[in-house]
Amino acid sequence: MAIFYNEEQRLFHLQAKDTSYIMQVVKKGYLTHIYWGKKVRNINPEQLLVFRSGVFSPHHDLEDKTYSLDTLPQEYPSYGNSDFRTPAYSIELSNGSTLTDMRYHAHRIIKGKPTLEGLPATYVEQQEEAQTLEIEMIDTLIGLKMILSYTVYEDLDVITRHVKFMNEGNEKLKILRALSMSIDFNKSDFDVMHLSGAWARERHIERRSLRIGNQSIESRRGASSHQHNPFIALMNTDATEDSGEVYGFSLVYSGNFLAQAEVDQYQSTRVSLGINPFEFSWMLGVKESFQTPEVVMVYSDKGIGKMSRTYHKLYRTRLCRGKFRDTTRPVLVNNWEATYFDFNADKIEDIAREAKDLGIELFVLDDGWFGKRNDDTTSLGDWRVNTNKLPGGLDDLAGRINHLGLEFGLWFEPEMVSVDSDLYRAHPDWCLHVPNRTRSEGRNQLILDVSRKEVQDYIINVVSNILKSASITYVKWDMNRSMTEIGSGVQVPERQKETAHRYILGVYRVMDEITKAYPNVLFESCSGGGGRFDPGILYYMPQTWTSDDTDAVERLTIQYGTSIVYPASSMGAHVSAAPNHQVHRNTSLKMRGDVAMSGNFGYELDLTRFTNAEKEEVKKQVASYKGVRELIQFGDMYRLLSPFEGNETAWMYVDEAKDEAFVAYFRVLGTPNAGLSYLKLKGLDPHKDYFIEGENTCYGGDALMYGGIVIPELEGDYQSVVWKIKKK
Ligand code: DGJ
């Protein structure tokens, strides 16, 4: 059993694989946080929870002034009743006040993990995999009920949390803030880590020490964003990749979010994460309920690497769904950087013919195949094939590609509309907008109001019709701008601030319907690269285009940073031309291949321009990737050297049985007269012996990990070496 309740102490003890999470109902029904960390058999709550009054801290409990809510470690706190720290939620009542007083009412412990209505979430396949605790908190004065849900996975150090608000009173309420979790740590000597960046340099690792006051990251762009990923971690200041305690928080949501860490006057730390309260509110009518997204909390006692591997396993196996969750992903070629908008059926067929020769399995036709789209100013919304470019239509083109022996994939950007489109001319109110205000354009386009049911239905129909019209087995689902003028033509004024969240719920419905109707299609999401690389989208689409930046050096930081939370099977990674189109750097074909192999491998350049020597090299790359893709896509990842710390990067993948490994090493700039470098491997079985492919010597797993392997002498910039290792 994973969840225990001690009636006498009113104590909840949640036990995940090697983790304990303990809460207690104290005094007049306040739910306090006692402990989260390495698994313990038991904790006497008094050992950690000390009731303190605090100077200048008012008392809410007038009969017992030995404590104040301001000093109490709480599970889901509010503002206004004497706790001055960041609240987890805020509700406006009809009298204008935002005071609520939620007390413990009841709880249930249930097998398995209930689904979240309308929202993506991690799941179980067998009831035995997890247990869920639902704690009911009630404000009897206004009839507001909150259900705090906690799920514990038996075999992973994972606890998930979310909250449901239910209005069981007689007055309308307005939710102003509804974060998915809050937790109070009894210390503040932590470092905080998050993944931040910009278009073409997504998810760079930021780590710094936590300071007194509030530190936060957030998105206000309508999507989870290139700028900040919905993830934050706290760790001991001496935590490394392989040692020290790390606490990860990852939000299963694709819209505006807020992640906060607040260190208070007594050096306690409050971490909270959820939908961004900025410009958000939600009317909660009588008998209505509101469900927050899920937060996945991971504890690691062995550094950042173990936290990442826990996220990878959970997201790979119990967040991603469908046939492709467990299927190796095809090697693809995408024509975007090869042709941009300038192509026709013959050009596409030429590239596909070369691709077949090189061992590539899937051709993806990117932007420009529909309407009169020859640049980015037009036609989004008009999902009809452009017969000037593809005279025989999609069916004919897909047939030609299939005939060559490749599968056929197609690009869409279904959430958008061009002003110059039949769709916009027919339905100018179908976009996000505010009456009489300028409709700001991003990449010359507007955003469809996907919060509206008829818009959702339109997208479902139009995409389905195309998917039915040709043999399409892969879809790239793009989304290329941030939200502005976030208003909906169908909402009453008091509900306008619900629009951004309703949009995301609409996207989820659309994606759910389409992906369920086409279970044999592999869906890859994209948002100008990695602008919506989050667990919410991964629930529907098991892979994401990691970044529009395909430069091999840039990709080291992007893919390394992304791997902090997301598995290799979720990352699209392509070899592109040199000089690179984003940074104009000339890297070797070998390094470009080796970097892209650490993900869902593909090419994104004009294959017909390869020299014969390049073709031979690429053939070998493709064959070699096919030999290790299962390991990369489904193995455990160990990071060895960080691109954020120097000139060298290395990582490796090991299968579950620890029989095979793939190691990749990259050196960005050449070093004059360099000494020898050794790379210490990780994750192997110290008791097993291994062969390195291409060598005859047998090495102990222990020797490879504790002694390391020598890196061959490399000449010049942009060098890489990969090793395949097999058990003797
Ligand atoms: C942005 C994507 O990230 C690119 O890969 C490409 O699909 C373009 N959109 C097409 O417009």
Side-chain angles (χ1 to χ4, degrees), residues 296-552:
V296 176
M297 310 199 311
V298 169
Y299 167 76
S300 161
D301 62 339
K302 291 199 179 59
I304 305 160
K306 185 176 170 196
M307 175 200 71
S308 297
R309 283 185 292 281
T310 305
Y311 275 120
H312 294 177
K313 185 155 188 202
L314 180 76
Y315 286 176
R316 218 173 47 222
T317 62
R318 292 294 180 268
L319 175 70
C320 293
R321 301 178 299 168
K323 162 176 158 183
F324 294 95
R325 184 189 75 178
D326 306 321
T327 314
T328 50
R329 312 289 164 73
V331 180
L332 64 80
V333 58
N334 175 304
N335 74 307
W336 179 241
E337 288 196 21
T339 64
Y340 295 101
F341 296 102
D342 186 15
F343 60 82
N344 58 32
D346 293 339
K347 177 70 195 169
I348 295 302
E349 197 178 3
D350 286 348
I351 298 178
R353 189 171 299 108
E354 288 297 343
K356 178 63 193 167
D357 245 26
L358 301 172
I360 293 171
E361 298 155 318
L362 164 72
F363 181 92
V364 179
L365 181 60
D366 211 281
D367 195 354
W369 58 266
F370 54 92
K372 48 187 172 71
R373 192 154 165 98
N374 292 319
D375 57 33
D376 63 16
T377 60
T378 174
S379 300
L380 291 171
D382 296 345
W383 299 105
R384 289 181 305 272
V385 70
N386 178 335
T387 44
N388 291 330
K389 289 183 184 177
L390 309 176
L394 283 173
D395 189 30
D396 170 72
L397 181 65
R400 285 161 74 173
I401 303 284
N402 290 163
H403 185 70
L404 292 169
L406 272 85
E407 304 216 14
F408 180 67
L410 195 61
W411 178 96
F412 288 92
E413 195 178 358
E415 299 161 55
M416 300 289 147
V417 63
S418 303
V419 174
D420 178 16
S421 68
D422 294 343
L423 181 68
Y424 188 68
R425 283 182 280 274
H427 299 283
D429 64 321
W430 270 20
C431 62
L432 293 178
H433 69 281
V434 173
N436 307 318
R437 295 286 179 190
T438 301
R439 299 173 180 197
S440 304
E441 293 179 15
R443 208 192 187 205
N444 308 302
Q445 65 202 47
L446 301 173
I447 305 187
L448 285 175
D449 179 0
V450 186
S451 74
R452 290 170 73 153
K453 171 90 172 38
E454 67 269 51
V455 173
Q456 297 165 18
D457 292 341
Y458 167 79
I459 296 175
I460 292 168
N461 272 330
V462 87
V463 173
S464 299
N465 288 339
I466 298 281
L467 293 184
K468 267 184 243 156
S469 75
S471 74
I472 297 166
T473 55
Y474 165 104
V475 164
K476 178 175 173 188
W477 185 292
D478 209 345
M479 195 286 277
N480 281 308
R481 61 158 292 188
S482 304
M483 287 184 191
T484 54
E485 295 88 33
I486 308 175
S488 174
V490 289
Q491 285 303 347
V492 293
E494 60 183 358
R495 286 195 181 271
Q496 284 296 337
K497 285 190 178 172
E498 298 176 10
T499 305
H501 180 55
R502 285 187 183 278
Y503 177 97
I504 298 296
L505 295 178
V507 167
Y508 289 155
R509 180 194 157 224
V510 166
M511 288 188 172
D512 202 45
E513 300 237 344
I514 295 180
T515 53
K516 278 189 180 144
Y518 294 90
N520 295 321
V521 174
L522 171 60
F523 287 83
E524 173 162 324
S525 74
C526 174
S527 174
R532 215 166 50 176
F533 199 135
D534 59 62
I537 299 288
L538 285 177
Y539 179 72
Y540 305 98
M541 306 191 169
Q543 57 187 65
T544 301
W545 178 226
T546 314
S547 175
D548 273 351
D549 194 336
T550 52
D551 173 67

Side-chain angles (χ1 to χ4, degrees), residues 283-299:
M283 296 306 304
L284 197 64
V286 173
K287 300 271 171 290
E288 285 179 0
S289 62
F290 179 81
Q291 172 67 63
T292 74
E294 169 171 285
V295 169
V296 176
M297 310 199 311
V298 169
Y299 167 76

